[in-house]
Amino acid sequence: MARVCAICGKGVTVGMQYSHSHIRTKRTWAPNLQRVKAIINGAPRRILVCTRCLRSGKVQRAI
């Protein structure tokens, strides 16, 4: 399962981590994804949604 939001497409970002002595190593930033039951095309499905989309109301939750 890919770490990508089903609504906005937000995914993993890569970059560099800098230590105090300025040694650079690669690291990743993962989005805060939640597995929720949502209405997709009229049917309830479990999808991965970022918390930004949940908070802004872009997802219609299934009960």
Side-chain angles (χ1 to χ4, degrees):
M1 193 180 323
R3 291 188 287 184
V4 177
C5 176
I7 305 299
C8 66
K10 182 187 287 187
V12 176
T13 306
V14 294
M16 288 294 192
Q17 180 177 0
Y18 289 91
S19 69
H20 181 69
S21 62
H22 231 256
I23 295 173
R24 301 185 327 157
T25 55
K26 285 194 171 187
R27 65 155 293 185
T28 60
W29 284 269
N32 189 0
L33 296 177
Q34 304 294 320
R35 192 165 178 232
V36 297
K37 202 175 191 181
I39 303 293
I40 305 295
N41 296 329
R45 288 189 55 198
R46 287 206 182 273
I47 58 172
L48 283 177
V49 180
C50 68
T51 52
R52 178 77 52 102
C53 290
L54 279 175
R55 190 179 65 185
S56 62
K58 293 181 181 177
V59 181
Q60 183 182 358
R61 301 279 302 260
I63 296 174

